[in-house]
Amino acid sequence: MKKILLISAAAALLLTGCGSERKAEKPMVIREDMDCTMKATIDSRSYTAKLRRGGADIWECEFTEPECISGLKLTTSGEICRMEFMGLEHTAPMESLPEYCMVPLITKSLDAMISGDGVNCISKEGIITERGTVNGLKFTGKVSGGEVTDLDIQGYLSAEFT
């Protein structure tokens, strides 16, 4: 009788030990035509921008806040980044940008989530969380209804998408 109780208790612990968390079979399908407002925080500074995806590796990010950079537009296409601000334009190779530059970190993470490349998924209480690595930094993104809602890059940078 004691063996049956012990086995039952052990089985109950094993079944409830992980809660409602489980590993998903594959990453969730995410809309490829992202067009949203992004609110990002890096180094305790907040930024708001309109973020649009034109295809794999093609992104446009136009800042609206803070006021000092409102109107700054960054467009990345493969290995090129084009910057426009107050009538000035500059094009630079992506490799010349700092490794931990905010916009490329966010867009590379989003591209990884959209493609499912190198991303692991878990589902907990109806929320899909995708995890991966970009430029050596771990990221975690939350997905709802086929759209990314939140992104955290190793506590260094966070973003919400609406």
Side-chain angles (χ1 to χ4, degrees):
M1 183 69 163
K2 286 183 182 181
K3 275 187 175 181
I4 294 174
L5 286 175
L6 186 58
I7 291 171
S8 297
L13 284 172
L14 286 174
L15 292 174
T16 60
C18 295
S20 60
E21 188 170 319
R22 64 178 170 77
K23 186 173 172 104
E25 300 253 340
K26 59 184 178 178
M28 183 172 192
V29 175
I30 299 172
R31 288 184 47 177
E32 293 184 20
D33 60 339
M34 201 164 179
D35 187 353
C36 62
T37 297
M38 171 183 75
K39 292 187 179 200
T41 303
I42 184 170
D43 292 330
S44 70
R45 292 187 178 133
S46 296
Y47 301 88
T48 302
K50 185 71 176 166
L51 185 66
R52 294 177 199 92
R53 184 175 192 261
D57 293 331
I58 301 171
W59 290 90
E60 181 181 277
C61 179
E62 186 170 357
F63 289 91
T64 56
E65 292 178 1
E67 189 176 325
C68 61
I69 64 167
S70 181
L72 171 63
K73 185 191 286 186
L74 303 175
T75 305
T76 60
S77 178
E79 297 301 315
I80 301 295
C81 178
R82 181 175 178 208
M83 297 163 256
E84 301 171 57
F85 188 61
M86 299 176 70
L88 301 172
E89 294 181 25
H90 179 70
T91 302
M94 291 292 286
E95 65 189 31
S96 70
L97 299 177
E99 185 176 13
Y100 301 116
C101 189
M102 179 175 63
V103 174
L105 279 177
I106 290 171
T107 58
K108 284 180 184 180
S109 298
L110 293 171
D111 274 335
M113 291 175 69
I114 290 167
S115 71
D117 188 31
V119 176
N120 297 313
C121 293
I122 59 171
S123 174
K124 185 175 181 178
E125 299 173 8
I127 298 172
I128 304 294
T129 302
E130 298 193 4
R131 295 182 174 130
T133 304
V134 61
N135 293 6
L137 298 174
K138 293 179 182 181
F139 69 82
T140 303
K142 293 186 180 174
V143 180
S144 177
E147 295 186 10
V148 181
T149 59
D150 298 275
L151 179 66
D152 180 76
I153 301 175
Q154 203 162 325
Y156 170 70
L157 178 137
S158 64
E160 294 178 5
F161 307 95
T162 55

